Amino acid sequence: MAHANKVYKVRNGKTTKAFTWRVKYKAPEGHVPEWLSESGFPTKKLAEDWGNEQERLIREGTWIDPAKQAVSFGEFARTFMASRKKRGRTVGTRWDKLELHILPRWDGVPLRKISWFDVDTWQQTMGIEDVSRGHCVSLMSSIMTAAVDAGYLTVNPLFGRRRTKDTSGDAAMPKAPKIKRDGGPRPEDAVLLAERLGPAVGIHVLTTAFGGLRWGEGLGLHRDNTLLTRRQPWGSGEFVCPVLRVVEEYAEYTERDADGRKTGYVVRLEATKNDGSTRDIDVPPFLAQLLRHHLADWPHPRVFCTPSGRPWLRGNWSRMFRPACDGRPEREKRQGVAHRAAWEPILPGLDMRALRALHDTMQAELGVKEPLAFEAAGHRRPGIKRHYQKPTAAMRAERLDGLEETFQRAMGNVGLETLWGRVNLQKSLRSSVS
């Protein structure tokens, strides 16, 4: 049981008659030291009542060690980051949010003094996109939940709370879309872009638009995992089609040590994003034909890479890709500089993510069934249905027929019979039944 004793004040090195009360209470089993104390109480009763309350909290399992109560958010955030082993790009993104937005405001604030009101007020003042504000608050909440689990807090005040969004003035106005066209990109845009960029790069564009690979998945695709064969029972025979096997991806990020210090910029192979991302993607006949030509010509292990065999950096890719989408002026020939023809815009703002989204849009337009649509996109289907409904051979054949027809129609709409002047794209038979 807690007990109190007097603590006399000292002035000029001499003990005075003035005093306060100090309480001692028994710490949890295994704690060092065995007894803890707190000083500064004006009466014995207040001291003992406070100590008895601490022992009650210890018995209930809701007591917080005083040494932990003083820990700041920044100190625990660094502990959290060092203890969570995530993919390299995920770690880099989290550190960027902490350093740029969260720690400048919350680094030295004790965990126990952080309230939802203060966090919600702060996030409304951030000069970044609303979705990024949400990511910052979500990361803070994850850290605070970990603090509860580690015994630094009894409750996370951010858990389950809905952010207040600014709806005044310009904040209520809809944001201008990156691609200023209703309906977004079309298959025709992907075909025109691929033709303009040439076979080595254009095949990457078409594979993204008609296969739905993420940027990093495309860079990580190895020729040993390209045009493998899927065999699945279908009626009295067998469904057979070529597939792309996605098992790894390239990530580009700033690497950091356990304390968050930057150690260098890396482009590194990593495992896929999650278990739904590791998948085999069925390839329509036209794309399989183009990929066979590409593999025959391409000397490098990675199917989509720079001419030197290295993975594309986003900056280098953008310098080539953006003019092809947005257009460019003519450049006259002069000493040391070759002539460059002007390019009319195909679709300003188009990027590789939008081409991946085009694939999902085409699947919806074609009525691809949900089990297969989620699989092809590398998304984990929510709900109990993912355990009951599986992609069938009929679903796969229907999807491939639809993508093949969409491509052939797009080629006709833009007036092309071949791509890059060398590949004859006669409409071929879809996946076979053997």
Side-chain angles (χ1 to χ4, degrees), residues 356-396:
R356 169 171 155 80
L358 170 62
H359 169 256
D360 211 38
T361 300
M362 286 191 290
Q363 290 198 131
E365 187 178 57
L366 295 169
V368 177
K369 306 302 187 293
E370 276 199 3
L372 181 56
F374 275 86
E375 177 194 274
H379 292 152
R380 182 180 174 85
R381 189 183 181 192
I384 192 65
K385 291 297 184 183
R386 75 169 177 267
H387 299 292
Y388 285 85
Q389 298 179 352
K390 306 298 181 183
T392 65
M395 293 179 190
R396 297 187 186 281

Side-chain angles (χ1 to χ4, degrees), residues 277-310:
S277 298
T278 300
R279 64 200 188 279
D280 288 349
I281 302 173
D282 301 334
V283 179
F286 82 89
L287 187 55
Q289 182 180 353
L290 291 173
L291 284 167
R292 289 188 191 99
H293 283 283
H294 178 64
L295 292 175
D297 293 343
W298 201 239
H300 306 298
R302 301 293 166 181
V303 179
F304 308 126
C305 60
T306 67
S308 64
R310 300 179 64 83

Side-chain angles (χ1 to χ4, degrees), residues 27-70:
E29 185 176 353
H31 189 278
V32 179
E34 183 180 357
W35 289 85
L36 297 171
S37 64
E38 184 73 18
S39 302
F41 296 94
T43 67
K44 181 179 182 180
K45 184 177 186 309
L46 285 174
E48 290 180 340
D49 286 348
W50 190 89
N52 290 331
E53 175 65 11
Q54 303 311 301
E55 292 186 346
R56 183 187 70 81
L57 294 174
I58 291 171
R59 290 192 298 272
E60 292 180 352
T62 57
W63 177 78
I64 302 296
D65 191 327
K68 291 185 174 181
Q69 290 184 11

Side-chain angles (χ1 to χ4, degrees), residues 216-228:
E217 292 173 348
L219 298 185
L221 184 64
H222 196 282
R223 64 190 305 127
D224 291 346
N225 291 323
T226 304
L227 300 183
L228 304 181

Side-chain angles (χ1 to χ4, degrees), residues 124-139:
Q124 293 179 69
T125 67
M126 298 171 69
I128 56 178
E129 292 291 330
D130 186 69
V131 65
S132 296
R133 297 180 191 179
H135 291 161
C136 288
V137 174
S138 177
L139 177 55

Side-chain angles (χ1 to χ4, degrees), residues 392-410:
T392 65
M395 293 179 190
R396 297 187 186 281
E398 183 181 33
R399 172 180 173 273
L400 294 181
D401 281 347
L403 291 175
E404 181 73 18
E405 184 178 346
T406 298
F407 172 77
Q408 298 294 345
R409 184 169 57 248

